[in-house]
Amino acid sequence: MAEEKTTVEVEETTEATQETKVEAQAQDPKEFLENFDWDKYEQGIERVDDSKLKEFENLVAENFVDTADEEVVQGTVVYLTEREAIIDINAKSEGVISLNEFRYNPDLKVGDKVEVLIDIREDKSGQLVLSHRKARTIMAWDRVNAAHDKEEIVSGFVKCRTKGGMIVDVFGIEAFLPGSQIDVKPIRDYDQYVNKTMEFKVVKINHEFKNVVVSHKALIEADIEEQKKEIIGQLEKGQVLEGVVKNITSYGVFIDLGGVDGLVHITDLSWSRINHPNEVVELDQKLNVVILDFDENKSRIQLGLKQLEKHPWDALSEDIKIGDKVKGKVVVIADYGAFIEVAEGVEGLIHVSEMSWSTHLRSAQDFVKVGDEVEAVVLTLDREDRKMSLGIKQLTPDPWTDITSKYPVGSKHKGIVRNFTNFGVFVELEEGIDGLIYISDLSWTKKIKHPSEFVTVGDTLEVEVLELDVEGRKLSLGHKQTTENPWDKYETEFALDTVHKGTISEIVDKGATIEFNEDIVAFVPSRHLEKEDGKKLVKGEEAEFKIIEFNKEFKRVVASHTAIFREEEQRNVKAAVKKAAASADEAKPTIGDANEALQALKDKMEANDKKKK
């Protein structure tokens, strides 16, 4: 540029000299010498008037910058290449800046004003070195602080993703954009914002750590707030509005009504039962909803979707009546029964008591599971209250209709133990026919405190029908009656005064016990444990015992060891008396002789008693 200006000046001087020569030839020599400009002739330039020089200096001061190093000035884009921007800052030459420094402004064009920093006034090649990035950094903090204080909207370039949000270039400063501040709705794809220029609001500045936090959501909320006020003011119950699915939870769906959020509870999504709202709607789906209710401030809005459709009960065929058979799918199971969907949105309850004729109630899970297709009979139908009860057992004959012929009193059968109580066992003879065995009818011989001591659930037992109550649907059974009562035999075998050999098995309170066999356990009172030598029997000792009590009804047997030798003594006394009488008859003794003999025997017995004591 400097070389071009010098060439032009030389050419202009040469032309001026030639013109002077031409003028000199045309003028009078005397006049020419008087008016000849010797400075122009000697220096090769024409003298410039002082006023013109002053004017030139003013123009230079107004239009050309003092290109001091590290100074920020404003320049104009005069030309753009694929990689660079040519910037004119009114210096003797233009500067070049890489387009990478303008990534935040993809719309840069010729004529735009930009701020630049004069790095070097002239490098080795005579080029002016400029930097837009450094200029932005120097002025950025002033701009950021001003934007924060005045709540101005700033433009920024989203550079990349980072943990928890995005990095945004604002005035050359890397600001943080939290993920929660990008939009009013949850963001599922952060990458869609990378390399985009967006508008932001500076919400926080940390001067100590030079941190800046920006928000795009704040700008949206400002617009939404206006819309929200307008929408809330027009809300009415029953009003139908269009909305967008904003969020889906396990309990319902949040709908964006244009700045105002409302909740459609899972029960208001469909007339049919659903397990999760995503079975009905999906994110970002547009749909119509009806306003069901809202609070006084209209901040909590309850919406409905199924209410826009006719209630399924109203569409239920009028032909369905009590006693009809219907088919449906099991949708819900509870302990007390199962809900069957017989038509879309129309459900009936099968109570567990209506699933089987058995009086022994079980859980509904024992009969059906969710998803099963079942057939049932309509038991009750209330269209006004929209309730229906169903039954499965009604599809099969009631087993109690011919109970007297199948299970007459005295008949013997086999059944399965289904349940225990403290007083007996419930036995199922067939599906729907249960009978009770009282604990006293389980065994002829065993003393049972609880049925679990005798049987377990699931065991098969032989039973005999003892009583039958058709109206009350009750059946009394017995197990011991299926076998012969062994006590009939024991009544003879262990009759009174019979003697049996046995071993003391246990010493108990007030006596001891003897196990004569697996059924007969006799009790021996303490005073009947005494032996002939005065000592008492101990555990494990074997001896003979006499039955002194036998009660078949209460299964009570009492024995005595002492009674055996006591009886023998008595027999000896009787034998002695008899012998003495016989001798008296032979010898005809006197009455005094007989008395002496008896007294001698009595003294002997008393002496034996004293020894024992």
Side-chain angles (χ1 to χ4, degrees), residues 479-494:
H479 171 66
K480 70 181 184 181
Q481 288 79 0
T482 59
T483 59
E484 183 181 355
N485 187 352
W487 285 83
D488 292 338
K489 177 182 65 175
Y490 296 147
E491 188 176 19
T492 302
E493 183 179 348
F494 293 92

Side-chain angles (χ1 to χ4, degrees), residues 43 181 276 373 382 421 431 465 499 503 509 532 535 558:
Q43 298 180 17
Q181 295 298 315
H276 196 277
E373 295 285 343
D382 189 337
T421 67
E431 184 72 24
V465 178
V499 177
T503 303
D509 188 29
E532 190 172 4
K535 297 180 180 179
V558 181

Side-chain angles (χ1 to χ4, degrees), residues 415 506 541:
E506 292 291 340
E541 189 172 355

